[in-house]
Amino acid sequence: MNKAIFSFLIISLFLLISCSNNTKTADDEIELGITIYRYDDSFISFMRRNIETMLNGKAKFIMNDSENDQVKQNDQVDAAIQRNVNALAINLVDPASASFMINKIRPAGIPVIFFNKEPSKEDMLSYDKAWYVGTLSEESGNMQGDIVVKAWKENTSWDKNGDGKIQYVLLKGEAGHPDAEARTERIKAVLTDNGIEIEQLDEQTANWDILQAQTAADSWIEKYGNDIEFIFSNNDAMALGALKSIQKEGYNIGDNNKFIPIVGVDAIPEIIEEIKKGTVVGTVLQSPKDQAQAIVDMLLNAAKGQDVLAGTEYKLDDVKAVRVPYRAITLENINEAAEAYK
């Protein structure tokens, strides 16, 4: 055999072996990039820990805290692209940045699972390797409304001025956030549709944050005092902030007559304990465990180049989203919520 041909064959064999070694199909060769909008979000922290637990032993992954900073998240995604990860999972800081993110990711052909903060339909359909895991935002507002309707009708003493209306204040999660907008709109619509008159005393954005909510509620108590007949909160962290505020003024403590009903969303363990005590009326469960499982299943499938729904019973809707259903939680079914946070 001539030396030139022999050398060519050796080089070809070496390249073939190298390419084979770089093909990441086995579980222990999968590399994932995961970025979380902020670790200190009460609900997201449970989802994050579930994702970590479910991925352990199944793939290598780097998870980053974006600290509610979109620029920082952009850099984290750039770093994951440079590492040539097999798939990305992104909990966006700003849903409006999805288009920018997709334009970064598309040239590399990396599949991406967005979760919790939903990109627009146009953004989702602009990339064939983008999917979403979350909920139907309006569902939680509808369920909150149902909780309030039932509780209001059963507790006529809550109508403190006897005018037949609910004088309420509302804690909004984040301006422009799909969940915040839908929950805010739907709770009001459900009450009105059920013949309950409502009067808004105030509405403030508290960015899903317990301390911002407490500050807002402090100002409300000072301004409106006992005129507040209900506190509607887009999530449980803000509901806890409101509770801490009104308890400083003697409300929702023990058996005294000073009580302002509160309703939230997420069914985090702290709120479940308050429901048991009777200091909070109800919440709406969006299971961090079930959502984390959907994220992990789809992420691993995408990383392996398989159908993203392979081996699952999930279904995609018209924007390539898997929707995990909500459940209304009150004292009557409190144990259902505890299971989701184990």
Side-chain angles (χ1 to χ4, degrees):
M1 181 182 295
N2 132 346
K3 287 184 178 179
I5 294 175
F6 181 80
S7 298
F8 173 78
L9 290 173
I10 292 296
I11 291 169
S12 298
L13 182 60
F14 175 79
L15 290 173
L16 183 61
I17 292 169
S18 297
C19 289
S20 175
N21 287 340
N22 288 331
T23 301
K24 298 171 180 175
T25 53
D27 287 357
D28 60 356
E29 294 177 336
I30 293 172
E31 294 180 14
L32 307 172
I34 305 166
T35 174
I36 305 292
Y37 98 101
R38 50 182 278 202
Y39 276 13
D40 62 355
D41 179 294
S42 298
F43 173 74
I44 292 296
S45 67
F46 287 101
M47 190 185 292
R48 171 175 60 85
R49 290 198 289 271
N50 272 293
I51 291 171
E52 289 175 336
T53 300
M54 292 171 183
L55 279 177
N56 278 333
K58 295 183 178 177
K60 298 174 185 176
F61 62 94
I62 294 177
M63 187 177 285
N64 293 298
D65 181 2
S66 298
E67 298 178 343
N68 208 25
D69 182 337
Q70 188 59 60
V71 174
K72 180 171 285 190
Q73 186 168 73
N74 296 345
D75 292 342
Q76 291 166 350
V77 171
D78 281 337
I81 293 170
Q82 289 298 315
R83 291 197 310 273
N84 193 30
V85 298
N86 297 94
L88 282 159
I90 301 176
N91 171 216
L92 290 161
V93 173
D94 179 5
S97 70
S99 176
F100 178 75
M101 285 283 191
I102 288 170
N103 288 335
K104 283 175 174 287
I105 297 164
R106 187 190 291 108
I110 298 172
V112 56
I113 311 295
F114 293 103
F115 64 96
N116 181 256
K117 293 191 181 186
E118 186 169 2
S120 70
K121 181 176 182 178
E122 292 72 26
D123 290 338
M124 288 302 299
L125 298 181
S126 71
Y127 183 38
D128 64 344
K129 293 183 179 179
W131 297 273
Y132 177 72
V133 173
T135 54
L136 280 174
S137 302
E138 59 267 26
E139 237 181 33
S140 55
N142 291 341
M143 289 183 181
Q144 267 194 323
D146 290 339
I147 291 170
V148 174
V149 168
K150 185 174 186 291
W152 182 257
K153 289 180 176 179
E154 289 177 350
N155 296 276
T156 55
S157 63
W158 290 358
D159 184 9
K160 296 169 187 173
N161 60 7
D163 67 353
K165 299 179 185 178
I166 299 178
Q167 275 78 31
Y168 72 91
V169 290
L170 188 145
L171 289 161
K172 191 171 184 177
E174 183 181 343
H177 189 295
D179 286 352
E181 300 297 340
R183 290 171 190 174
T184 298
E185 177 187 343
R186 289 309 306 163
I187 189 171
K188 299 175 189 178
V190 169
L191 292 170
T192 302
D193 291 347
N194 279 273
I196 295 177
E197 291 187 66
I198 56 177
E199 179 185 343
Q200 180 172 288
L201 300 178
D202 202 357
E203 174 182 310
Q204 288 195 36
T205 298
N207 296 302
W208 314 112
D209 186 78
I210 186 170
L211 294 178
Q212 291 185 45
Q214 187 169 346
T215 299
D218 285 347
S219 69
W220 288 337
I221 284 292
E222 183 177 348
K223 184 175 182 179
Y224 302 109
N226 209 42
D227 291 340
I228 301 170
E229 294 179 333
F230 229 116
I231 298 174
F232 304 154
S233 178
N234 282 173
N235 83 336
D236 283 349
M238 296 187 298
L240 282 173
L243 179 63
K244 288 178 183 294
S245 172
I246 65 175
Q247 284 183 328
K248 287 188 301 183
E249 302 302 319
Y251 290 87
N252 298 33
I253 296 173
D255 295 326
N256 66 28
N257 293 322
K258 295 180 71 175
F259 183 75
I260 301 175
I262 302 171
V263 64
V265 175
D266 285 340
I268 62 175
E270 296 91 335
I271 279 288
I272 295 308
E273 290 306 309
E274 296 301 336
I275 292 173
K276 290 177 181 177
K277 295 176 191 174
T279 56
V280 171
V281 173
T283 185
V284 180
L285 172 67
Q286 59 163 334
S287 169
K289 196 173 186 179
D290 293 343
Q291 290 189 55
Q293 189 66 67
I295 293 162
V296 168
D297 289 346
M298 294 169 68
L299 192 59
L300 290 174
N301 281 336
K304 295 173 186 175
Q306 300 175 348
D307 182 321
V308 74
L309 301 183
T312 76
E313 296 182 359
Y314 308 126
K315 296 185 186 303
L316 295 175
D317 64 14
D318 62 341
V319 293
K320 300 186 295 175
V322 166
R323 308 290 182 179
V324 178
Y326 287 101
R327 277 180 281 171
I329 300 293
T330 61
L331 190 58
E332 295 174 0
N333 65 336
I334 201 77
N335 291 333
E336 291 181 29
E339 186 64 30
Y341 283 88
K342 285 184 178 177

